[in-house]
Amino acid sequence: MVTVMMRLTSRVQPLGCVPALCFMSLILWDVPGAWALDNGLAMTPTMGWLHWERFMCNTDCNEEPDSCVSEKLFMQMADLMDSDGWKEVGYKYLCIDDCWMAPQRDSKGRLQADPIRFPSGIRHLANYVHSKGLKLGIYADVGKKTCAGYPGSFGYYDIDAKTFADWGVDLLKFDGCYCDSVEQLADGYKHMSLALNKTGRSIVYSCEWPLYMWPFYKPNYTEIRQYCNHWRNFGDVYDSWQSVKSILDWTSSNQKTIVSAAGPGGWNDPDMLVIGNFGLSWDQQITQMALWAIMAAPLLMSNDLRHISLQAKTLLQNKDVIAINQDPLGKQGYRLRKEDNIEVWERPLSNLAWAVAMVNLQEIGGPRSYTMNIASLGRGVACNPACHITKLLPVKTKLGFYEWTSCLKTRINPTGTVLLQLERIQST
């Protein structure tokens, strides 16, 4: 938590952004009180791969040619996303994060890729990614510099939006470092949203706007949703249980503010999936996958697909869990209750179904038994008058028929999660 907060404060820096005074077309989706960005994108949470947590800002291709931020890395990941079943289950966005740029813009003021690490340029990389049936994401910053010190977009919003569109980019992750004030930060995020729409190219807009607002005041999520397809609220995820747990704690503590903002076209983003890396136990990886599905979160992996274990790959490609994440009703789930270090989360799904996750936060001892009243789930209607319950994680098991008055007893490993799907049986 300390490192996360230090990361957050260190990134809320100078801005210097131009106010956007244009009108933006909006559309109302079937989410109470939530207006959505009208670009027709991210109608379900974005799925893909993002380099940052695993590969960070490694620019030393001489010493570490297989793990530096380079076109070689992204082409290899594109090959694997195409050949190893990733795109078939929905992971279609291959996203570049910070440290791809050259230190200066070109003579016409345009961003350019580092000529050593990306010798063929971003347009060539985009063409390659598209040839694999995938989409390319890229990174920029609303302020004067990126968080790693590369050229920022302040003063160049329209130029950069046009450059990204000309290159064939499909997603922009827009960070918030080096801004002079939160007001200018907000203006910059609005300006870039309008600039992207003006290009005529379909570009998913991933913001970090509320992340940089929270240290100063509560963000206006109605406004943020008008301009962004998804938005980060909390500090960067690390490859650790403490980091994942901190994100879940923050989300549940602020769920009254953020849950209603999410829906088709706009999503809360709790950051990358670190499944398949080094820091999480198997049970903790199950917890991250299950809770990111409950939270209707973008599923952006940050791992090395060249060396991922079969177990981690199977979890990330679990079609039942992905179906919960991608459910077209588009309602974000929430924490229902916490008692004796066990949390119960639930999410409404299409066709009157519900997803329920039970998390054992106790980090000592063995598996714990937990019993809950079926009538307490889904606001009392998930299993009224009866339902079929299937356990999806850790191992798919059909638990059978339950009536509204029934109890369900299960066992949950320490830091692990049991994920259920409840399919209501309607009375005739």
Side-chain angles (χ1 to χ4, degrees):
M1 180 65 179
V2 174
T3 54
V4 172
M5 292 310 295
M6 287 176 64
R7 172 76 167 150
L8 175 59
T9 16
S10 68
R11 285 169 43 151
V12 181
Q13 298 194 32
L15 210 170
C17 317
V18 180
L21 301 175
C22 305
F23 174 76
M24 173 169 256
S25 165
L26 305 174
I27 188 166
L28 182 63
W29 300 105
D30 186 24
V31 180
W35 291 85
L37 171 61
D38 184 17
N39 62 5
L41 302 173
M43 301 307 293
T44 60
T46 304
M47 295 177 62
W49 185 92
L50 178 64
H51 93 247
W52 183 257
E53 195 288 324
R54 181 60 185 264
F55 296 97
M56 301 182 67
C57 191
N58 185 351
T59 59
D60 191 346
C61 292
N62 290 324
E63 288 295 321
E64 300 185 76
D66 293 327
S67 57
C68 66
V69 180
S70 65
E71 69 179 25
K72 174 186 173 183
L73 175 69
F74 291 99
M75 292 172 82
Q76 288 178 342
M77 293 303 162
D79 291 342
L80 290 166
M81 289 175 72
D82 175 37
S83 65
D84 283 7
W86 297 103
K87 75 176 183 182
E88 282 75 18
V89 296
Y91 295 98
K92 292 186 177 178
Y93 284 85
L94 177 65
C95 301
I96 308 168
D97 209 288
D98 206 347
C99 304
W100 64 270
M101 300 176 193
Q104 293 88 29
R105 292 174 177 270
D106 69 13
S107 60
K108 295 183 179 179
R110 297 171 300 193
L111 292 171
Q112 52 187 344
D114 182 279
I116 305 299
R117 293 180 288 115
F118 292 84
S120 304
I122 302 299
R123 181 184 285 112
H124 177 270
L125 179 58
N127 289 340
Y128 187 84
V129 169
H130 293 156
S131 75
K132 301 293 180 178
L134 303 167
K135 297 179 182 294
L136 183 69
I138 206 162
Y139 169 100
D141 193 284
V142 71
K144 296 171 183 175
K145 293 188 289 185
T146 72
C147 297
Y150 291 88
S153 291
F154 168 61
Y156 295 89
Y157 298 127
D158 295 289
I159 292 174
D160 290 353
K162 185 177 186 304
T163 299
F164 298 146
D166 289 345
W167 285 345
V169 165
D170 305 292
L171 179 149
L172 173 63
K173 176 182 175 180
F174 210 40
D175 216 333
C177 283
Y178 293 99
C179 285
D180 292 332
S181 71
V182 290
E183 291 77 20
Q184 290 177 323
L185 178 94
D187 289 335
Y189 274 106
K190 294 174 188 177
H191 194 144
M192 180 55 88
S193 181
L194 296 165
L196 291 172
N197 274 6
K198 192 167 63 175
T199 69
R201 182 170 180 81
S202 296
I203 300 176
V204 172
Y205 188 36
S206 174
C207 302
E208 307 216 352
W209 182 356
L211 165 64
Y212 291 90
M213 287 293 204
W214 271 108
F216 303 99
Y217 52 79
K218 181 178 175 180
N220 181 344
Y221 282 94
T222 301
E223 181 179 52
I224 289 167
R225 185 176 165 83
Q226 292 171 6
Y227 293 95
C228 303
N229 290 120
H230 33 91
W231 47 87
R232 286 274 305 285
N233 295 305
F234 192 66
D236 289 3
V237 69
Y238 284 59
D239 187 15
S240 77
W241 173 239
Q242 181 61 41
S243 175
V244 171
K245 191 166 60 171
S246 295
I247 291 169
L248 296 175
D249 287 345
W250 187 93
T251 301
S252 59
S253 297
N254 292 278
Q255 62 186 16
K256 289 183 180 179
T257 299
I258 68 171
V259 166
S260 61
W267 311 95
N268 291 295
D269 181 3
D271 210 10
M272 295 161 278
L273 293 168
V274 293
I275 296 165
N277 289 327
F278 306 97
L280 300 184
S281 71
W282 175 239
D283 285 296
Q284 292 160 4
Q285 292 178 72
I286 288 172
T287 294
Q288 191 186 28
M289 190 69 184
L291 270 295
W292 263 236
I294 291 284
M295 293 188 292
L299 299 183
L300 295 171
M301 307 176 289
S302 191
N303 48 26
D304 191 340
L305 300 179
R306 298 167 298 189
H307 304 294
I308 193 167
S309 70
L310 178 60
Q311 188 181 43
K313 178 182 176 183
T314 301
L315 176 60
L316 286 163
Q317 293 188 0
N318 187 307
K319 293 180 180 179
D320 293 316
V321 182
I322 290 172
I324 290 174
N325 175 266
Q326 297 286 297
D327 187 80
L329 184 64
K331 302 284 190 180
Q332 179 172 335
Y334 48 85
R335 190 179 74 183
L336 178 64
R337 59 177 171 266
K338 180 177 182 178
E339 51 190 8
D340 193 23
N341 271 328
I342 289 181
E343 293 185 344
V344 178
W345 294 63
E346 63 181 16
R347 178 183 175 186
L349 305 173
S350 303
N351 301 317
L352 303 178
W354 286 76
V356 175
M358 295 165 287
V359 189
N360 177 8
L361 295 175
Q362 189 160 293
E363 299 181 31
I364 189 171
R368 299 178 64 197
S369 295
Y370 183 72
T371 302
M372 61 183 177
N373 294 318
I374 296 296
S376 70
L377 300 175
R379 299 173 183 170
V381 300
C383 201
N384 188 0
C387 63
H388 288 293
I389 300 181
T390 303
K391 180 168 68 174
L392 302 180
L393 291 174
V395 178
K396 186 172 183 178
T397 310
K398 290 185 178 181
L399 301 183
F401 176 86
Y402 284 77
E403 295 183 322
W404 188 67
T405 55
S406 305
C407 290
L408 178 85
K409 184 175 182 179
T410 191
R411 288 176 65 80
I412 318 166
N413 290 344
T415 68
T417 293
V418 171
L419 179 64
L420 307 174
Q421 183 165 6
L422 283 63
E423 296 175 287
R424 184 175 164 191
I425 301 170
Q426 299 185 60
S427 56
T428 55

